[in-house]
């Protein structure tokens, strides 16, 4: 009886952490959305001249950037700086390792994706087309399965780290809206986006699949739905990343060509 009570208390505590972090993610998105509008109005004269629809997207990209920075740094810490996934530091299988911090990070990210997807669907297709709905839907399902099962956390964190490219995507959009497409900052940001995407969404996914293959004896022990979700969702996200990378390369080449002709 004592063991079952302990297990019940532990499960209840975990579930409360999940709910708190999910609601925290939603509330933070709302706060940052409003702060982005307020700060932009004070700091950028052009913001006040934007249409209501563009202001909505401007503010939306504010909390998108904030979420990306939080999850990128937290994922990097959990994957490389902490010993949570150090193969020599624990006896547990890599695919079964979790922590309160990673639980709360996934909950926070789930709150963000819920908020962003709600806005995308409500204003569809102003904030993004079906590819964004697909991306968010797949991301949310994978995060939720990992959160509930406590498995495949290492792979979810790798994918969350790929959000580190989002600030560059958003800065590119901000500069475009502000009429700064011909500026040096726009060109430098395009180069940073290219390199960031190459590392965080192309090379990282190559490592992701190599790691899965070399640890497939552990991956096979993930519960059935989670196992097949991992096998299906990760290649789909990888294909989407390659598709978007091709668009980034084309855009960068176009920008560099314009800059060369100017000189």
């Amino acid at each position: 009886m004592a063991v079952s009570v302990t297990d019940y208390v532990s499960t209840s505590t975990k579930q409360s952490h999940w709910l708190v972090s999910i609601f925290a993610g939603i509330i933070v998105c709302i706060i940052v959305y409003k702060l982005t509008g307020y700060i932009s109005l004070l700091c950028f004269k052009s913001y006040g001249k934007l249409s209501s629809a563009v202001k909505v997207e401007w503010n939306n990209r504010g909390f998108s950037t904030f979420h990306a920075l939080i999850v990128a740094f937290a994922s990097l810490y959990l994957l490389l700086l902490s010993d949570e996934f150090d193969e020599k530091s624990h006896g547990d299988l890599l695919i079964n390792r979790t922590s309160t911090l990673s639980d709360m990070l996934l909950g926070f990210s789930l709150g963000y994706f819920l908020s962003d997807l709600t806005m995308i669907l409500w204003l569809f297709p102003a904030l993004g087309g079906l590819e964004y709905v697909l991306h968010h839907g797949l991301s949310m399902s994978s995060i939720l399965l990992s959160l509930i099962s406590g498995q495949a956390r290492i792979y979810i964190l790798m994918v969350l780290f790929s959000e580190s490219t989002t600030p560059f995507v958003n800065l590119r959009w901000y500069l475009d809206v502000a009429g700064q497409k011909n500026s040096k900052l726009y060109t430098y940001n395009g180069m940073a986006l290219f390199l960031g995407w190459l590392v965080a969404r192309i090379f990282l996914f190559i490592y992701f699949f190599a790691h899965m293959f070399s640890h497939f004896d552990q991956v096979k022990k993930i519960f059935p739905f989670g196992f097949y979700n991992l096998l299906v969702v990760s290649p789909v996200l990888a294909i989407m990343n390659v598709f978007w990378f091709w668009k980034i390369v084309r855009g960068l080449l176009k920008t560099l060509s314009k800059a060369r002709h100017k000189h």
Side-chain angles (χ1 to χ4, degrees), residues 36 44 51 73 110 126 155 168 171 182-183 187 189 208 234 237:
T36 300
F44 305 105
S51 67
F73 281 116
L110 194 56
Y155 297 117
F168 301 109
L171 180 56
N182 295 321
S183 66
T187 303
N189 180 71
F208 177 102
S234 48
L237 290 178

Side-chain angles (χ1 to χ4, degrees), residues 47-61:
Y47 178 81
K49 300 175 184 177
L50 300 175
S51 67
S52 297
V54 176
K55 283 180 182 177
V56 167
E57 184 166 0
W58 182 291
N59 298 347
N60 173 274
R61 288 177 182 270

Side-chain angles (χ1 to χ4, degrees), residues 101-211:
L101 178 58
S102 64
D103 278 355
M104 298 194 77
L105 178 65
L106 263 62
F108 176 81
S109 194
L110 194 56
Y112 157 74
F113 280 114
L114 278 168
S115 303
D116 200 37
L117 183 59
T118 299
M119 287 193 69
I120 289 172
L121 292 174
W122 186 262
L123 301 169
F124 190 83
L127 297 180
L130 289 174
E131 68 273 17
Y132 287 92
V133 176
L134 177 64
H135 173 270
H136 281 31
L138 293 176
S139 298
M140 285 170 57
S141 67
S142 300
I143 291 171
L144 186 60
L145 287 173
S146 180
L147 191 60
I148 293 171
S149 68
Q151 294 186 308
R153 190 63 51 87
I154 186 172
Y155 297 117
I156 300 299
L157 292 173
M158 284 187 198
V159 175
L160 283 179
F161 178 74
S162 68
E163 287 291 309
S164 58
T165 59
T166 299
F168 301 109
V169 174
N170 288 340
L171 180 56
R172 179 186 176 119
W173 183 89
Y174 284 132
L175 291 171
D176 187 5
V177 169
Q180 298 295 314
K181 285 190 74 170
N182 295 321
S183 66
K184 288 185 177 180
L185 180 57
Y186 188 87
T187 303
Y188 294 148
N189 180 71
M191 294 169 68
L193 174 58
F194 167 80
L195 292 173
W197 200 281
L198 185 64
V199 171
R201 291 186 185 257
I202 303 298
F203 290 160
L204 179 60
F205 267 75
I206 293 172
Y207 174 78
F208 177 102
F209 291 118
H211 190 281

